Each structure stands twice: as structure tokens, then as C-alpha cells.
Amino acid sequence: MAKKDIEKELRDLQSKLDNLKSEISDNSDTALLPIIKQMEDNASTLKVELYRKITPGERIQLARHPNRPTTLDYINYLITDFVQLHGDRRFADDHAMVGGIGMFEGIPVTVIGTQKGKDTKDNIKRHFGMPHPEGYRKALRLMEQAEKFGRPIINFIDTAGAYPGLGAEERGQGEAIAYNLYKMSTLKTPVISIITGEGGSGGALALAVADKVFMLTNSIYSVISPEGCASILWKDSSKAMDAAQALKIDANNLLQMGIIDGIIEEPEGGAHQDYAGMAENIKNKLRSALEELSQYEIEHLLEARYAKFRKIGVFKEG
Amino acid sequence: MANLFIKCPECGTTHFNKILSKTLFVCPECGFHHKLTSMVRLKYTIDKGSFSEFDRKMRSMDPLNFPGYDDKLKNVIKQTGSYSAVIAGEAKIKGEPVVVMVMDTRFIMASMGSVVGEKIAKGFEYATEKKLPVVVFCASGGARMQEGILSLMQMAKTSAAVKRHSDAGLLYISVLTHPTTGGVTASFAYLGDIILAEPKALIGFAGPRVIEQTINQKLPEGFQRAEFLLEHGMLDQIVPREFMRDTLANLLKMHRVSILRNNKKFRIEQYGLK
């Protein structure tokens, strides 16, 4: 059974269980007790099945789960006094990218992130979380503003990638991403990026040239989507799971390879099961990262940021 | 270029290799600029005997144990006689000293993995240290999938190296040749102070096929060609191959480091004001 189906069955069971329990307390009918016991056993069996070690395919499903918390959800849980800021001052306001200023644990921060929609209509407005060049330019505008005012930057990343389309190409999608990488490499303020769902290629990296890069347990970060890789290499997108395996796109592998700085644990069953719990784990990680980064002089920070990306790569000198 | 005949991918005409070599591999029928190997490109661009190459033998490993990658590398090294998709070195263009790097599509579509990223970053770092301008002839199918996330990270690495070179007040000219796409477009290719392109070169982030699938409509003619990008403000100039060397030399001359950057004062005497 697919995780999604198990989840649904578990939810149904849980709600029936809750109904029954409330009936009992109303008229204390003890005949229902064995039935409840049976249902509780079923529920725990389903939970074991749900939370057993998951396969790469299931991880991708979780990373792309429609109920996965989005950037605005995290802002809602973590940031107070949030003021959303819009537009790139060049062309448009891209709803696939959100950002603004607010307070995190008592300090002002700039928060930016890609934004997937909550339903079909929202998704169409937000291009399914795939930013256009104006999205990346808005993000950079806000990051430079943060630099000016000495605010740390927190980036949330959950995108299949930069939007592939006519207008995006006309307005320089490649240039917009390149320019973010270039400018972020010397932004004179701490930058922390968290991959919360999909870290899709250059479209994700354009927010991830950071002093600290973290991933949630069930997020993925990849140079190309497994489907894209399979269709290019093997002319067969149904081999996506083989590609996912080969590309090593999960947090554990990426931590081992030195690409990311840490993993943020998700609540049982995935981030979408418990928004508050997920946000709490993120808060703790952000706090400790900010404490660590605030100890360094900016020059030291920039040296370390350069070195961090400079050393990535595996080759033979010849 | 061992083939006797070469067919033009643009107009379909077939020409003798020998004839094309006299037109700098520009199609006499339609003006299409054929892909060049990096050695031929260097021959057309730099002063004879001025090239000293960096890290010729730096080569890829197979860090992910990716299915088929190791064999692919062995084959392409054998076929091309090169160890990587980019050649880098110090040279002179009409007497102007420069770090020049040339990508070669024969090598796994000049995709960027660890080696391309390392050579490009190292080239910019060398130029920063020696106060030299950089010219990169870009061409690429994008990031090299077989090195996974390591390839993606080369985008950040090269862009950061370009930034340091730029912050030192030095000139970088990027020349976009057919085709320049994907992760290379979205990193050092688009970070030049001056961005030139060859006529009709295909330049873009997402491939035309992916875009067609996404928006579910046919793309207009000339989409993502150099002329289209110039029209949309993404390029400084389209330069036909026969003028490239002169154009580069002219730009380099006007950015001589000793004149522009060594001192805060602008020193016109080095030009000799007339």
C-alpha cells in the first residue's frame, strides 16, 4: 500500500475512534470497549507500516506531499510581526517567491522562500512554486536590503526548479540565477538556507549559497529531477526511481558528501503530520546556527562561505 | 574534425571539411557557425605560440558510482584526446595578456562536473592573483548529471570565483557559442562584464523540449537564438567569427589593468593623450 493510502486509512480510523470515544464518555456504554481496542490495534499496525524505513521513492512522495508545510506556514509559526514585501522593481511580483521582514526570537530577520500553492487555484497563481526571473530578482533585492540593514537572512526552499517557459527565457532565467549565486557569495550578512521539500537544481541553489544549508529529513536536493534524469539518460522517465537512487539526493547522502551542514528531524510520519512540531525543530536549529554565525566577523564569514563552496568537487589532478 | 564532409545542422547543406576550414567553419550557405573543438578555437583566437595550459590532465572521477559513467569517460577521453570538457590557460590575444578558457562540446556535451568547475574557478583565481582579464568561450549542455549534486555546486563555486575576480576590478568577457544551456548559462556564462555571442547560437536555461512540454505549445522561430536574446537585452553584441579575435583584442586593450586599476588616479599618460 502506498504511504498516501495508509495515511488516509489511518486518518479515517482515528476519526472513527475519536467519535466512538466521545460516545462512550457520553453514555458510558462498555459494550463498545472491545471494538475500540481492536481499532486501536489496527491503528498502531498502520503506524508501524507508515513509519518503517522509507524507500527513496517514498521519500520523494513525502518531499512533494501536497500538505507539506510551505514557506508561509513556517513564517506563520516562526516569525512575529511579519511584513511581506513584494516585487522586483523591474517587471513584476512573482507569487512563486515570497519574502519580507519580521522578528525571529527577538531579532529582526529577512525571510525569503519559494512558495507552492495550497490548492489548484493557488498553485496556478504561484506557478506550482517554480519562480520566474522576477522571483529571483525579488529575492536578491530583499537580500541586499537585509545586507544594508545588517539583518540575517533565512531562506526556505521547496521548488521543483526554476520555471521553464517562454517568458522566463525572454527575461533571462539563466542570468537571474547566475546573478544570485554571484551576489550571494559576498553578501555581508549571515545567510541560512533550509531545504524543506524539493531542492530542484539551479532554481533551488539560487537561494542556497549560504553560510549554513540544512535539509529536513524527507527533503531532496538534486541537480536534476529523477524523472528528467531518467528520460535523458535512459529515454525512459519510468526509471525515475533508479535515477533517484543513483543521484543520491537525500539528506543523509548529502550530509556525508559535505554538501549540507545538518539535517532537521521531521515529526513522525513527515512534516505535514505536525506543523507545529516541525516548526519547533526548525526554530531550534535556526537559533543555534544564528548564535554560531553571529560570533564571526563578517570578513571571516565571507572567507568561510567562499571556502565552503570552493572545496566541493571530486577529481584527479592528473 | 576527421570527417571528410560536414553537414550543416541549420540548412542541411553538406560541405567539404577542407572548404569549411577556410571559412572558419562558418556555413557558406546560411552563415551557421559550426561548433569548434577547443584547439581550433584557440588557433583562431590567440597569438601563435602564446598558450601555456593549466592542468591539462585534470580528470573526472566517478564519485557517485553512477551507472555507465566510468565507461563513458574512458571512451570520450580516447575519442577526443582531451581529459576534460574545458581547456584553460594563459595566452595573448594580439599582444594582450589574458586567461582564456574554452569549452568543447565533444566531451559529454561540455557538461559541467567537478573538473569543469574546478578548472574554471582555478582560472579565475589565477587571473585575480596575476591581475589578468579572463575570456571564456562557453558552450555546454548544462550540469553533468552523472556527478549529481557535485555538479550543481560547481555553479556556486564558479560564480563565487567570478565575483572575486570582478571585485578586484578585473575584466571578464564571456563569449556564448552554440549551444550554451542549463547550469552553465545559470552561472559563469551570464556573469561577464561584457557578454558576446556567435550568430544563431542557441542560448538558454531550460531546453526547448522541456519548455514545449511545460507550456504545451510550439515555440516561436528563432527562440533562444543569439538574435532573440540580443533583442531581449540579454547580450551586448553578436560577433561573427571572423571578427571575434579583433573584437576581443580591442576590448582587452581598453581595459588594461595597469591603466584602470593599479592606482586610484586615472593615468592617461599610459595611453598617450593626443
Side-chain angles (χ1 to χ4, degrees), chain A residues 169 186 306 310 312 316, chain B residues 59 125 157 163 206 224:
Chain A
E169 294 292 322
T186 57
Y306 188 81
R310 182 65 186 84
I312 299 176
K316 254 190 289 213
Chain B
R59 57 198 285 184
E125 285 176 341
K157 174 162 132 185
K163 182 69 161 61
Q224 287 184 325

Side-chain angles (χ1 to χ4, degrees), chain B residues 7-218:
Chain B
K7 189 175 173 184
C8 176
E10 190 73 15
C11 68
T13 330
T14 302
H15 289 281
F16 275 111
N17 195 332
K18 244 168 80 184
I19 294 203
L20 280 175
S21 72
K22 284 182 185 137
T23 64
L24 308 176
F25 289 92
V26 174
C27 176
E29 297 297 322
C30 72
F32 180 75
H33 284 50
H34 283 270
K35 293 173 186 167
L36 297 179
T37 68
S38 44
M39 289 319 287
V40 172
R41 175 77 68 181
L42 279 179
K43 195 177 96 186
Y44 291 165
T45 309
I46 64 173
D47 300 351
K48 204 173 170 190
S50 72
F51 189 63
S52 75
E53 189 177 350
F54 307 149
D55 299 300
R56 192 178 83 83
K57 287 193 165 174
M58 189 187 288
R59 57 198 285 184
S60 308
M61 294 172 69
D62 182 11
L64 304 190
N65 273 319
F66 200 95
Y69 187 39
D70 204 42
D71 288 341
K72 195 167 199 150
L73 283 169
K74 279 187 189 132
N75 286 338
V76 75
I77 289 171
K78 212 166 127 190
Q79 275 167 23
T80 59
S82 312
Y83 290 91
S84 81
V86 66
I87 185 167
E90 195 174 346
K92 287 190 169 143
I93 299 177
K94 292 183 123 182
E96 302 290 337
V98 65
V99 167
V100 62
M101 299 189 261
V102 184
M103 303 182 80
D104 192 331
T105 52
R106 291 177 309 160
F107 203 99
I108 318 186
M109 263 319 285
S111 52
M112 174 158 65
S114 298
V115 173
V116 170
E118 181 69 17
K119 283 177 100 170
I120 296 276
K122 224 170 150 181
F124 274 96
E125 285 176 341
Y126 178 87
T128 308
E129 193 194 312
K130 303 278 181 185
K131 296 191 162 60
L132 289 171
V134 175
V135 172
V136 181
F137 285 91
C138 302
S140 180
R144 188 167 300 167
M145 285 179 293
Q146 295 90 338
E147 291 183 32
I149 198 81
L150 296 171
S151 300
L152 185 69
M153 293 300 136
Q154 304 310 310
M155 292 167 62
K157 174 162 132 185
T158 54
S159 301
V162 175
K163 182 69 161 61
R164 289 198 155 186
H165 182 255
S166 178
D167 286 350
L170 300 164
L171 172 72
Y172 164 32
I173 303 173
S174 171
V175 184
L176 310 184
T177 70
H178 182 76
T180 301
T181 60
V184 166
T185 303
S187 60
F188 61 87
Y190 257 126
L191 294 173
D193 298 291
I194 295 169
I195 303 176
L196 308 175
E198 287 200 317
K200 294 186 181 168
L202 179 81
I203 301 157
F205 177 63
R209 213 164 33 117
V210 177
I211 298 172
E212 275 182 345
Q213 281 164 7
T214 310
I215 62 175
N216 223 344
Q217 65 189 64
K218 267 261 166 257

Side-chain angles (χ1 to χ4, degrees), chain A residues 184 191-193 207-213 261 305 308-309:
Chain A
M184 286 183 81
V191 186
I192 301 170
S193 296
L207 289 183
V209 182
D211 302 303
K212 296 278 178 194
V213 180
D261 301 284
R305 195 184 300 160
K308 173 186 162 80
F309 290 95

Side-chain angles (χ1 to χ4, degrees), chain A residues 57-79:
Chain A
E58 288 165 344
R59 174 154 283 133
I60 294 172
Q61 271 185 21
L62 279 174
R64 295 173 178 167
H65 199 287
N67 297 336
R68 207 160 165 87
T70 66
T71 298
L72 288 174
D73 293 318
Y74 290 124
I75 288 173
N76 191 25
Y77 277 95
L78 297 168
I79 307 293

